[in-house]
């Protein structure tokens, strides 16, 4: 199955599973089924963090340098399906213990036709 091969090749490129917290509050390491590194077996592209990890996209970084206290930002996200510069990574380095947050926008086109 092609998608399983793509998934396993992702591991060879140092990608972890595409996980998420489920409705019960438990972490499920495969829960992001919109990504090739999530549950098998629908054809789909990598999600925003994995595309960035592979060097296939560039993202906007937001941290304490670019977002000061009491400031706001308006952000427009381009579709990952069309544009190489399409995501945002928020590093909350103004506090401790927070993992980076990625924002991405994907449309059901091109390699992501299977998205609902």
């Amino acid at each position: 199955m092609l998608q399983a091969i793509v998934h396993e090749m992702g591991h060879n490129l140092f990608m972890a599973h595409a996980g998420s917290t489920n409705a019960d509050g438990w972490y499920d390491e495969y829960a992001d089924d919109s990504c090739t590194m999530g549950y098998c077996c629908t054809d789909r592209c990598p999600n925003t963090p994995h595309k960035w990890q592979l060097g296939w996209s560039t993202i906007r970084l937001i941290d304490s340098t670019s977002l000061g206290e009491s400031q706001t930002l308006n952000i427009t996200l381009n579709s990952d399906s069309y544009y190489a510069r399409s995501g945002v990574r928020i590093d909350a380095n103004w506090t401790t213990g927070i993992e980076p947050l990625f924002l991405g926008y994907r449309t059901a086109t091109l390699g992501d036709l299977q998205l609902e």
Side-chain angles (χ1 to χ4, degrees), residues 6-7 9 23 27 30 34-35 55 58-59 61-62 72 77 86-87 89 95 97-99 104 107 114-116:
V6 171
H7 177 98
M9 286 177 60
Y27 185 77
Y30 294 99
S34 73
C35 179
T58 57
I59 59 172
L61 174 63
I62 298 173
T72 60
L77 294 174
S86 58
R89 176 182 167 140
T95 189
I98 305 293
E99 294 291 324
T107 52
Q114 301 297 326
L115 293 177
E116 294 179 6

Side-chain angles (χ1 to χ4, degrees), residues 66-116:
S66 58
L67 183 62
E69 185 176 337
S70 301
Q71 288 183 318
T72 60
L73 290 175
N74 289 323
I75 298 172
T76 301
L77 294 174
N78 295 319
S79 171
D80 273 351
S81 299
Y82 288 106
Y83 300 98
R85 184 166 179 88
S86 58
V88 173
R89 176 182 167 140
I90 301 171
D91 286 338
N93 59 354
W94 50 83
T95 189
T96 59
I98 305 293
E99 294 291 324
L101 174 68
F102 286 86
L103 304 175
Y105 173 65
R106 295 169 66 192
T107 52
T109 56
L110 301 174
D112 284 329
L113 280 174
Q114 301 297 326
L115 293 177
E116 294 179 6

Side-chain angles (χ1 to χ4, degrees), residues 10-52:
H11 288 305
N12 289 327
L13 295 169
F14 306 102
M15 289 193 296
H17 291 137
S20 180
T21 304
N22 65 22
D24 297 326
W26 293 96
Y27 185 77
D28 180 346
E29 69 177 306
Y30 294 99
D32 182 359
D33 62 1
S34 73
C35 179
T36 190
M37 298 306 292
Y39 282 111
C40 189
C41 285
T42 305
D43 291 343
R44 56 207 178 267
C45 293
N47 62 17
T48 301
H50 283 133
K51 282 181 68 176
W52 173 73

